[in-house]
Amino acid sequence: DQQVKQNSPSLSVQEGRISILNCDYTNSMFDYFLWYKKYPAEGPTFLISISSIKDKNEDGRFTVFLNKSAKHLSLHIVPSQPGDSAVYFCAATYNNNDMRFGAGTRLTVKP
Amino acid sequence: KAGVTQTPRYLIKTRGQQVTLSCSPISGHRSVSWYQQTPGQGLQFLFEYFSETQRNKGNFPGRFSGRQFSNSRSEMNVSTLELGDSALYLCASSLTQTPHRELFFGEGSRLTVL
């Protein structure tokens, strides 16, 4: 049961442009959402998060938007840099339950 | 502060064998979660331990088991290995079980089943 879905396995953007990574979820109980970034041969690292009481959270070049009615969140990276090339995982959780991850989106930023 | 340490990093087994993977969490972290990563499936939750007790369990067969020791170190075991068990197994630790906790991942143990 894939409660968190990332329907785009890959995304390619030009350096300096905006990268938009999307994530959908089915469990309306989720109240906290996170994005993790993973480089090859490394474990995922936390990038940014958002609580369900907010609809936007910004940290430097990274902004996460949450649309609870659509059960959709997105990660915007502006401007995109070649070092941002990685696999991005969307994750969601609630209460003390386990964190559920999407399948990931491989972002490639071309110089 | 040392990060999450997983051993071994790489291992090759044959079908029918069993394997034990180890995870040492960040010092002070009491919660340890295990995930299986395969291409196209993302990170699939296996189980979570907190203070030596399994708190949550994912949808994996009973061949997958785990435990946590009093020092918070954790092991997971897979018995009667199948080809489909080939994957990257990731361990993550967190400070507490508060709802909004951040997971800190190790580099993973890559298991290949032949």
Side-chain angles (χ1 to χ4, degrees):
Chain A
D1 175 22
Q2 200 73 14
Q3 298 182 38
V4 179
K5 300 177 183 179
Q6 294 177 257
N7 294 317
S8 298
S10 63
L11 173 68
S12 181
V13 300
Q14 207 66 35
E15 180 180 6
R17 307 294 290 269
I18 183 172
S19 295
I20 300 177
L21 296 94
N22 293 304
C23 177
D24 298 292
Y25 60 95
T26 58
N27 191 340
S28 58
M29 297 292 291
F30 288 141
D31 64 359
Y32 195 66
F33 305 88
L34 309 90
W35 284 92
Y36 283 80
K37 180 168 70 173
K38 185 180 186 299
Y39 292 116
E42 295 182 11
T45 55
F46 170 75
L47 185 59
I48 191 170
S49 62
I50 187 168
S51 166
S52 61
I53 62 173
K54 295 184 176 181
D55 54 18
K56 176 182 175 181
N57 187 29
E58 192 172 351
D59 183 3
R61 297 186 296 113
F62 302 90
T63 302
V64 56
F65 295 92
L66 175 63
N67 183 333
K68 283 183 294 185
S69 60
K71 293 191 178 67
H72 176 85
L73 66 157
S74 60
L75 174 67
H76 292 210
I77 306 174
V78 183
S80 301
Q81 300 174 353
D84 296 330
S85 297
V87 177
Y88 290 78
F89 291 98
C90 169
T93 186
Y94 68 100
N95 293 336
N96 285 326
N97 288 277
D98 55 276
M99 197 170 294
R100 298 283 171 152
F101 286 79
T105 297
R106 181 177 301 278
L107 172 66
T108 302
V109 180
K110 299 178 180 179
Chain B
K1 198 177 197 181
V4 177
T5 304
Q6 291 188 246
T7 56
R9 290 291 311 281
Y10 303 91
L11 67 166
I12 299 174
K13 294 284 188 179
T14 56
R15 280 181 300 174
Q17 287 187 310
Q18 67 92 27
V19 66
T20 299
L21 309 178
S22 178
C23 172
S24 294
I26 292 173
S27 177
H29 286 195
R30 296 169 62 191
S31 175
V32 174
S33 301
W34 288 89
Y35 288 85
Q36 180 195 65
Q37 184 189 2
T38 54
Q41 293 294 315
L43 278 66
Q44 301 290 310
F45 174 73
L46 282 156
F47 26 67
E48 178 189 6
Y49 288 87
F50 182 80
S51 294
E52 301 179 66
T53 301
Q54 185 180 91
R55 276 196 21 96
N56 292 303
K57 190 176 190 304
N59 189 26
F60 277 81
R63 300 186 296 107
F64 292 80
S65 63
R67 58 178 175 169
Q68 186 181 33
F69 302 94
S70 59
N71 61 358
S72 294
R73 190 177 72 84
S74 177
E75 289 182 346
M76 69 162 282
N77 183 279
V78 187
S79 62
T80 319
L81 283 166
E82 301 177 358
L83 295 179
D85 297 333
S86 295
L88 180 68
Y89 290 87
L90 290 162
C91 167
S93 73
S94 61
L95 191 57
T96 66
Q97 278 194 308
T98 56
H100 300 162
R101 68 191 190 281
E102 174 190 336
L103 295 180
F104 295 84
F105 284 87
E107 294 178 319
S109 294
R110 183 165 294 282
L111 170 65
T112 301
V113 182
L114 302 177

